[in-house]
Amino acid sequence: MCSSDVQSRVMKVMANVLKIDEAEISPDANFIFDLGADSAQSLELIAGFEEEFDIEMDEDKALEIQTVADAVVFITEYVK
Amino acid sequence: MGFRQLKPGEITELENNLCMSDNWANVSVNENFNPSKIKNTRFSGMITIGNLSKDIEILEGIVKPSGISNSYIQNCSIGNNVYINEVKNLANYNIKNDVIIENVGLLAVTGETSFGNGVEIEILNEGGGRELPIYDKLSSQIAYMLVNYRHDSIFIGELKKLIKEYTDNKKSNIGTIGQKTKILNCIVLKNLNIGEYAELDSVARLENGTIVSSEEAPSSFGINVDAENFIALEGCKVNGGVVIDNCFIGQAVKIGKQYSAENSALFANSEFFHGEACSIFAGPYTVTHHKSSLLIAGMFSFYNAGSGTNQSNHMYKLGPLHQGILERGSKTGSFSYMLWPCRTGAFTAVLGKHYNHFDTTSFPFSYIDEVGGKSVLTPAMNLLTVGTTRDSGKWPNRDKRKAKIKRDLINFELYSPYTIGKMLEGSNILTELYEGASKKLEYVKHRGVYIKRLMLKMCKKYYKLGLDVYIGQELSKKIKSLETSSFSDFKKQLFAETVSTSEKWCDVSGMITPVNEINKIIEMVKSGELSCINCFEDKLRDLFNSYEEYAWKWTAGLILQTLEKTSQNIEKDDLIKLLENWDKSNSKLNNMILKDAEKEFDENSRMGFGIDGTPQEKEEDFKNVRGEYSNDKFVLGLEKEKEKVSIKVKELVKIIMMSL
């Protein structure tokens, strides 16, 4: 899976969890500061990524993800 | 103390000092009596007066000679070196040595009273049915059982009998004021028993109550307090316009700043300011500090009420019949609202307004948030937050009880067979819900709350981290206590006695204990084997002191269940695996908590800092007021704890490997 595929699926999950339009999400957008994710939504995003990509992310490492770009890099590693 | 009749010359001197008596023959005095110590006082009924020879310190730096002046005294026994001045009516008291009473309107016992002992308060359910008789040795455990175990009417009947036997013995026409107690500038004090070293200063009115106090834990009642039908235990501080009606005030409880409470029991180390309590069972460490906070018809412990916290127990149908339970460690956010009946699991944060009735007892360490009118539960979320860890560390250090006997029996453990048992229960429910939920669903509903479907699997993983940490902590403690170099002995000792994790535990308002053991004590009360309230208390204390023993048996069962092994076929590697899981999960959990702590230092947290300055000044302002993440005491503590666990695990693994 290439990183652009990962990115589009990451954005789909984010739009779904944060209830925002995909068009509002830029690759550099910070989940918390730019997209307004609260603590529970941050966890839900991780759960969403796990389900979308059928992966099990390391609980604490996954919380390091702050932006769409972070998520893409992180998940691409897992998917490999 | 030997007393004698007054001599004629002494009576003359007393009368010259403007003193009067209905009958001087009824006034007995100490051998060294000095009539010059008594001025302008009228005596009535039977009076004894001790040796008034020493000076006494009224307030810091104000020393006056002991004596009696400008007062009316009826039927009192007055100890040595007492100072009584300007007491308009003092009647029917046994006043011990070194007591100070000055500028008091009324201090009297008016007929037979039990001094608040045996008063029944309508607690938890405002509609009644859970009445709690209060008395001067009541513990949160006995109160919990009396209030909550109404399914067993025989037990309740027997327990009430034991309490009545005790409170009937408190009945008297004469009250006591304990030694070294100070009563200054009070208006009405009626039918009170006051312990030693107590301080009553500028109180408005106290009626029908007992104030237990001691040298190491003096109690105090201060300015404009108005209290009726109450029991207050050692070390309590009640001040500042507080209004109390039908209440029990436990050891080291603080009430102030115009708080009002009725039909409530407030147990050890709780604090109440500004707000209102009505029919609440405030277990140990219940705290509410803010205005507009109403706690009503609820049971709490280790609780913190945000400002404007409110609940409703009345739905304008059959009356105020509803009640709620916030299990230990819960918090309610600012202006949170709950519509009783509800029950939240331990260590749960409730945010927003909730009009749904829910029961989340199987999901400790959770968040319940209001999302578009729904009550949304995020299980295990509070395991990952900095607040829970901080709270768990602060409670033992904030135990202000100094009395010789600590009435409430309190376990402080964050992870215990109670919370871990609930986590296991919650994990099973999460699995069932996950397996039964269509992927199309955003939420699943469970006992009145909504859970995001996506979170079902994730939250179970978080509970697993808690479980690993608990097993590791307990296993580590146990291994360190063993003395053997043989692995087979090691196993024998570890798993000598195990119980199934299906054995339920309960939180008896501070005391965490197996349900079976509580039931055994209940049976002993019912059968008459425990025939006095002291015996019942002692039995509960024995159970409390056996916590470690029972907890280990349960944990040993949990270990075997986790490993899917028996005590016979367990191997060294199994134990090593559990310890390594502890290290790993502890590190993960701490990292997540640290991540949460980091938010307290992020961009959003800096809003409002550097009010009129440049971005650099904003940074400096924040740094000087809040400090830096990297130097934060809590953060450093958690980092250190991670290291400590890793070192401990290495040591323990070595011990296991070395065993023969």
Side-chain angles (χ1 to χ4, degrees):
Chain A
M1 197 183 305
C2 67
S3 62
S4 65
D5 287 341
V6 173
Q7 181 172 312
S8 71
R9 287 168 69 180
V10 161
M11 287 166 95
K12 189 183 95 185
V13 171
M14 289 175 65
N16 189 28
V17 169
L18 302 178
K19 305 268 181 286
I20 49 175
D21 200 311
E22 272 188 57
E24 291 175 44
I25 307 169
S26 75
D28 296 330
N30 184 293
F31 298 162
I32 297 165
F33 303 132
D34 301 321
L35 302 175
D38 61 24
S39 304
Q41 284 172 321
S42 299
L43 301 179
E44 202 186 334
L45 278 173
I46 297 164
F49 297 146
E50 288 196 348
E51 184 170 277
E52 175 65 25
F53 296 98
D54 196 20
I55 54 175
E56 291 264 337
M57 292 160 81
D58 200 55
E59 295 90 338
D60 55 338
K61 296 280 182 296
L63 283 181
E64 301 284 335
I65 302 172
Q66 296 287 305
T67 63
V68 177
D70 289 347
V72 173
V73 172
F74 197 89
I75 292 165
T76 306
E77 280 302 304
Y78 267 91
V79 176
K80 270 182 193 171
Chain B
M1 207 190 291
F3 292 99
R4 62 168 174 80
Q5 295 281 295
L6 286 165
K7 294 170 188 167
E10 290 172 335
I11 294 174
T12 306
E13 191 177 342
L14 284 168
E15 288 179 342
N16 287 341
N17 288 347
L18 304 176
C19 294
M20 287 181 275
S21 173
D22 301 347
N23 183 354
W24 285 115
N26 288 339
V27 178
S28 306
V29 295
N30 178 273
E31 195 52 50
N32 302 319
F33 179 66
N34 176 357
S36 73
K37 292 279 193 171
I38 303 183
K39 292 187 173 78
N40 191 30
T41 292
R42 181 170 187 146
F43 296 101
S44 179
M46 302 303 290
I47 302 286
T48 59
I49 302 172
N51 183 5
L52 306 175
S53 57
K54 286 187 190 163
D55 290 348
I56 191 159
E57 193 173 48
I58 308 289
L59 290 168
E60 203 178 340
I62 303 175
V63 178
K64 294 185 180 178
S66 58
I68 302 170
S69 49
N70 310 317
S71 298
Y72 173 86
I73 302 175
Q74 180 183 318
N75 286 329
C76 284
S77 136
I78 297 165
N80 296 331
N81 303 313
V82 164
Y83 175 84
I84 296 172
N85 180 34
E86 300 282 357
V87 181
K88 283 186 188 151
N89 294 288
L90 171 54
N92 303 318
Y93 267 101
N94 178 5
I95 300 162
K96 303 285 186 183
N97 298 340
D98 304 304
V99 165
I100 296 163
I101 309 172
E102 184 169 47
N103 192 23
V104 170
L106 174 77
L107 173 54
V109 173
T110 56
E112 191 182 69
T113 172
S114 57
F115 307 98
N117 287 284
V119 165
E120 292 208 344
I121 62 175
E122 287 191 347
I123 191 172
L124 192 53
N125 198 310
E126 224 192 333
R130 297 192 186 277
E131 290 77 11
L132 172 69
I134 56 175
Y135 60 99
D136 60 12
K137 289 166 82 179
L138 180 66
S139 69
S140 57
Q141 283 67 48
I142 293 178
Y144 178 95
M145 294 168 81
L146 242 162
V147 169
N148 289 298
Y149 292 174
R150 295 290 162 139
H151 57 279
D152 192 338
S153 52
I154 298 172
F155 167 66
I156 296 298
E158 290 302 317
L159 183 52
K160 278 193 166 181
K161 253 191 241 167
L162 300 184
I163 293 172
K164 190 169 183 312
E165 262 171 39
Y166 177 80
T167 57
D168 280 351
N169 277 328
K170 294 283 170 182
K171 284 183 185 162
S172 177
N173 294 306
I174 301 288
T176 301
I177 298 169
Q179 63 164 332
K180 298 213 174 188
T181 278
K182 290 181 187 177
I183 303 173
L184 301 168
N185 311 315
C186 298
I187 302 172
V188 174
L189 306 171
K190 203 156 103 182
N191 297 337
L192 297 182
N193 253 345
I194 306 171
E196 55 186 34
Y197 292 86
E199 281 197 30
L200 278 62
D201 192 350
S202 309
V203 164
R205 183 182 70 110
L206 302 181
E207 276 196 49
N208 194 29
T210 293
I211 300 168
V212 185
S213 180
S214 64
E215 185 175 8
E216 58 284 345
S219 294
S220 68
F221 278 65
I223 191 158
N224 285 339
V225 171
D226 183 328
E228 186 169 1
N229 302 331
F230 69 95
I231 299 287
L233 297 194
E234 297 99 322
C236 69
K237 310 265 176 263
V238 185
N239 206 339
V242 161
V243 180
I244 297 282
D245 187 8
N246 285 19
C247 284
F248 175 84
I249 302 165
Q251 289 177 327
V253 166
K254 287 183 188 169
I255 316 176
K257 297 178 183 171
Q258 300 172 318
Y259 200 81
S260 73
E262 64 173 300
N263 284 301
S264 296
L266 319 170
F267 288 98
N269 294 312
S270 291
E271 295 182 4
F272 305 86
F273 299 108
H274 292 302
E276 179 187 350
C278 178
S279 289
I280 66 162
F281 189 121
Y285 293 90
T286 296
V287 173
T288 170
H289 278 185
H290 303 290
K291 279 193 178 169
S292 309
S293 287
L294 165 71
L295 303 182
I296 187 165
M299 186 161 68
F300 314 84
S301 63
F302 300 90
Y303 165 71
N304 197 324
S307 60
T309 284
N310 205 318
Q311 311 91 43
S312 295
N313 63 334
H314 197 311
M315 289 193 282
Y316 302 100
K317 288 178 184 172
L318 292 175
L321 302 172
H322 302 285
Q323 59 180 62
I325 299 167
L326 284 153
E327 292 188 26
R328 73 158 55 197
S330 291
K331 287 185 179 197
T332 45
S334 297
F335 290 99
S336 67
Y337 168 80
M338 294 171 85
L339 181 65
W340 295 149
C342 269
R343 179 176 184 172
T344 72
F347 298 99
T348 291
V350 181
L351 308 164
K353 301 198 184 304
H354 300 273
Y355 299 93
N356 305 293
H357 308 296
F358 51 74
D359 179 355
T360 67
T361 184
S362 308
F363 300 102
F365 301 101
S366 297
Y367 264 38
I368 302 173
D369 208 345
E370 176 207 357
V371 181
K374 285 190 176 100
S375 297
V376 175
L377 176 81
T378 310
M381 171 90 184
N382 229 356
L383 277 177
L384 320 174
T385 61
V386 64
T388 312
T389 316
R390 217 182 120 252
D391 286 348
S392 70
K394 82 185 176 194
W395 285 313
N397 298 330
R398 289 189 184 174
D399 191 347
K400 304 286 185 222
R401 293 174 297 167
K402 303 275 186 245
K404 283 188 184 113
I405 298 173
K406 291 180 171 58
R407 295 279 166 210
D408 299 347
L409 308 168
I410 304 176
N411 293 99
F412 291 102
E413 286 78 2
L414 189 65
Y415 296 149
S416 67
Y418 180 71
T419 49
I420 295 293
K422 294 283 185 183
M423 282 192 212
L424 293 172
E425 205 175 286
S427 296
N428 291 338
I429 296 169
L430 291 175
T431 305
E432 277 171 31
L433 292 173
Y434 181 76
E435 286 170 355
S438 153
K439 282 201 173 179
K440 285 181 193 156
L441 285 176
E442 186 179 4
Y443 289 102
V444 294
K445 203 174 174 194
H446 179 75
R447 289 188 184 167
V449 281
Y450 290 83
I451 308 173
K452 282 273 175 90
R453 184 193 57 81
L454 272 178
M455 296 304 289
L456 296 169
K457 203 171 153 193
M458 186 62 101
C459 295
K460 195 183 160 186
K461 272 164 69 176
Y462 297 143
Y463 277 146
K464 174 72 171 58
L465 295 178
L467 196 66
D468 287 346
V469 170
Y470 173 73
I471 289 176
Q473 281 174 351
E474 296 303 300
L475 187 58
S476 151
K477 270 194 275 176
K478 193 69 186 172
I479 290 176
K480 286 204 160 170
S481 71
L482 301 179
E483 282 177 15
T484 177
S485 55
S486 134
F487 187 67
S488 60
D489 271 359
F490 208 78
K491 279 201 299 187
K492 257 187 222 159
Q493 289 183 45
L494 282 178
F495 302 102
E497 243 183 295
T498 63
V499 294
S500 159
T501 54
S502 62
E503 179 172 296
K504 296 268 181 246
W505 282 58
C506 52
D507 179 359
V508 186
S509 195
M511 180 172 83
I512 293 175
T513 195
V515 171
N516 281 346
E517 298 304 316
I518 280 288
N519 287 340
K520 280 182 199 165
I521 296 179
I522 288 173
E523 288 308 314
M524 289 163 96
V525 172
K526 285 160 77 173
S527 68
E529 198 180 328
L530 294 175
S531 56
C532 67
I533 198 68
N534 287 350
C535 315
F536 182 50
E537 278 168 20
D538 290 347
K539 206 74 199 163
L540 288 170
R541 198 169 288 277
D542 288 347
L543 181 56
F544 172 70
N545 290 332
S546 307
Y547 169 79
E548 292 289 340
E549 185 193 326
Y550 287 113
W552 174 252
K553 284 180 197 168
W554 189 89
T555 310
L558 174 64
I559 289 173
L560 297 179
Q561 179 188 309
T562 306
L563 295 169
E564 295 178 337
K565 293 220 166 177
T566 65
S567 56
Q568 282 79 40
N569 67 8
I570 209 159
E571 303 289 343
K572 284 182 184 180
D573 283 350
D574 295 321
L575 297 184
I576 291 170
K577 190 174 128 197
L578 292 174
L579 291 168
E580 286 173 347
N581 280 349
W582 171 31
D583 189 14
K584 225 185 289 171
S585 294
N586 183 63
S587 171
K588 278 185 185 180
L589 262 182
N590 281 2
N591 286 342
M592 292 166 92
I593 294 165
L594 287 169
K595 205 80 207 150
D596 191 53
E598 217 176 289
K599 286 184 203 149
E600 295 292 312
F601 296 85
D602 71 12
E603 197 53 40
N604 285 344
S605 298
R606 288 163 198 241
M607 282 177 195
F609 282 80
I611 190 162
D612 297 319
T614 62
Q616 199 187 339
E617 283 167 341
K618 182 179 180 174
E619 288 300 303
E620 283 301 310
D621 185 34
F622 186 86
K623 198 170 98 182
N624 292 334
V625 174
R626 291 280 316 279
E628 289 174 296
Y629 174 79
S630 56
N631 295 326
D632 184 77
K633 211 171 121 190
F634 176 82
V635 169
L636 293 174
L638 268 193
E639 294 283 10
K640 206 167 188 177
E641 200 256 348
K642 274 199 297 181
E643 283 170 33
K644 270 189 188 168
V645 169
S646 294
I647 293 167
K648 206 180 270 179
V649 166
K650 282 190 187 105
E651 285 169 7
L652 293 167
V653 168
K654 215 179 202 175
I655 293 173
I656 295 170
M657 296 289 279
M658 301 274 280
S659 61
L660 303 169

